[in-house]
Amino acid sequence: MKTKNKKGQEEMVGFALIVIVVAVILLIFLGFMIKKPVQREIESTEVANFLDSSLQFTSDCRDLGNKGYLTVSDLIIECREQQPCLDERDTCNVLEEILKGVMDNTWNTKNNVKGYKLEIISGLDKEKENNEKLLLIESGNQTKNSQGTSQTLGKDTDINIYIKVYY
Amino acid sequence: MKNKKAQLKIQQMAFMLIAVTLFFVLVGLMILTIYMGGLKDTANILEEEKAIQLISKLANSPEFSCGDVFSRTTNCIDMDKAVAIKGVKDYNDFWEVNGLTIKRIYPQETGNKECTLANYPGCDKLTIVEKSGSFIEYSNFVSLCRKELDVNQEKYDKCELGIILVSPKEKG
């Protein structure tokens, strides 16, 4: 009777051990699965083409030299130099108005887009702390899934443009 | 009695082996599902990127591209050329697409009014190829450039933000 009881106990301990080992393996596996998808940011051709095309947009602001109408990329440089338009409008205001319209008309009309962020920064500091922020336009929610791109304006400038679209 | 006990033990062992095998099969299936899900996402992204590249190629074709006329050359559509192509039957099957439309995104002034030679540039949408049926549509952002006259009646380049929508012909 006593040996039968002991054998039963041994089997129970064995079973418990197997359960524990399986549970530990499952926990480790689950841990890996949960840890992996923290943030997903994709460099997107679509957003890159959008930025590229937006920079070529012709504004109704003439430059002081009366050479012609400024494009968005010209406006960014004039805004940093604090140069007004020929009709004395502030180039930074014109730039903001155009980019807000462009961003809203493009991304706010898409069903799966939750929000966007556009930043124009002057300076070479990668951490962006010591740089001058020329413009920031944000809308909607900033989720964990995003597509983005960045571009340096021209070859001789330190102006960088960052765009993120949140899905 | 001893035989029965041994049989019971063998049965126990068999059950245990089945349970362990089932467990590993389930875990394997789970890993496979997650891995395959990732592959499907990657395939979709790649397909979209491929379509965007095809559209870029189309936008940079001589029939649409800005060439040396405007200050930029890539992803730029010369709207003066594009509007002239509209209605030319020879171009219906030229690009092997089911649909080809150019739309102005900003500034939108006419609420998607279709362009004709009569109302251009006071319009927002230019349909070049339109075949009946429902097709998958891919899009890419482009600059829509044209020559404009300023207040002094001098020509200047005016570029706006647009999108080119293409429905490629399915192969096979």
Side-chain angles (χ1 to χ4, degrees), chain A residues 4 7 11 15 18 22 25-26 29-30 33 40 42-47 49-54 56-60 62 66 68-69 71 97-102 105-107 110 147, chain B residues 1 5 9 12 16 20 23-24 27 30-31 34 41 45 48-49 52-53 56 71-72 74-75 105-108 139-143 145 150-152 154 156-163:
Chain A
K4 222 177 183 182
K7 251 193 170 176
E11 295 246 334
F15 183 68
I18 289 170
V22 169
I25 293 169
L26 255 178
F29 181 69
L30 266 174
M33 289 313 302
R40 216 168 68 111
I42 304 164
E43 183 75 21
S44 155
T45 318
E46 187 189 21
V47 184
N49 281 335
F50 164 76
L51 177 60
D52 195 37
S53 301
S54 301
Q56 302 306 319
F57 184 90
T58 315
S59 72
D60 58 351
R62 273 173 176 266
N66 203 6
Y69 293 98
T71 61
E97 192 189 319
I98 290 172
L99 286 179
K100 185 97 184 60
V102 164
N105 272 30
T106 308
W107 303 113
K110 286 199 171 189
Q147 289 197 352
Chain B
M1 183 71 183
K5 227 181 174 182
K9 279 266 173 193
Q12 217 177 11
M16 198 59 210
V20 170
F23 170 74
F24 281 112
V27 169
M30 214 167 131
I31 294 170
I34 292 160
D41 281 349
I45 290 167
E48 264 176 50
E49 295 276 320
I52 287 172
Q53 276 162 13
S56 276
S71 51
R72 63 168 311 186
T74 52
N75 286 337
I105 294 179
Y106 186 82
Q108 260 216 344
S139 63
N140 196 15
F141 294 101
V142 283
S143 284
C145 297
D150 66 6
V151 280
N152 304 319
E154 280 174 18
Y156 74 98
D157 297 346
K158 187 171 177 67
C159 294
E160 294 166 325
L161 179 68
I163 198 165

Side-chain angles (χ1 to χ4, degrees), chain B:
Chain B
M1 183 71 183
K2 225 179 183 180
N3 253 355
K4 230 179 180 180
K5 227 181 174 182
Q7 271 177 345
L8 213 75
K9 279 266 173 193
I10 290 166
Q11 212 175 30
Q12 217 177 11
M13 186 66 158
F15 275 127
M16 198 59 210
L17 279 173
I18 290 166
V20 170
T21 315
L22 256 175
F23 170 74
F24 281 112
V25 166
L26 279 175
V27 169
L29 271 175
M30 214 167 131
I31 294 170
L32 212 74
T33 313
I34 292 160
Y35 182 68
M36 292 297 264
L39 270 185
K40 213 175 175 184
D41 281 349
T42 316
N44 281 341
I45 290 167
L46 280 176
E47 201 175 312
E48 264 176 50
E49 295 276 320
K50 204 175 140 189
I52 287 172
Q53 276 162 13
L54 178 109
I55 299 167
S56 276
K57 212 169 114 184
L58 217 140
N60 294 321
S61 68
E63 283 78 10
F64 295 115
S65 77
C66 291
D68 297 328
V69 181
F70 296 91
S71 51
R72 63 168 311 186
T73 48
T74 52
N75 286 337
C76 171
I77 289 181
D78 184 339
M79 282 303 279
D80 298 332
K81 271 202 261 180
V83 82
I85 286 172
K86 185 185 164 83
V88 178
K89 280 183 183 168
D90 290 345
Y91 281 106
N92 254 1
D93 289 309
F94 185 70
W95 293 287
E96 295 184 340
V97 291
N98 289 319
L100 174 58
T101 308
I102 300 162
K103 269 187 190 173
R104 180 163 63 179
I105 294 179
Y106 186 82
Q108 260 216 344
E109 288 162 352
T110 62
N112 268 340
K113 198 177 183 183
E114 181 68 35
C115 290
T116 58
L117 280 171
N119 68 8
Y120 174 77
C123 52
D124 288 323
K125 192 179 160 194
L126 179 68
T127 310
I128 293 164
V129 180
E130 192 179 27
K131 291 190 177 162
S132 55
S134 56
F135 310 103
I136 302 168
E137 205 171 48
Y138 294 99
S139 63
N140 196 15
F141 294 101
V142 283
S143 284
L144 308 178
C145 297
R146 64 174 190 269
K147 294 283 178 192
E148 278 268 293
L149 290 174
D150 66 6
V151 280
N152 304 319
Q153 296 298 302
E154 280 174 18
K155 267 187 193 171
Y156 74 98
D157 297 346
K158 187 171 177 67
C159 294
E160 294 166 325
L161 179 68
I163 198 165
I164 178 165
L165 300 140
V166 175
S167 305
K169 266 191 182 162
E170 283 144 37
K171 283 173 188 168

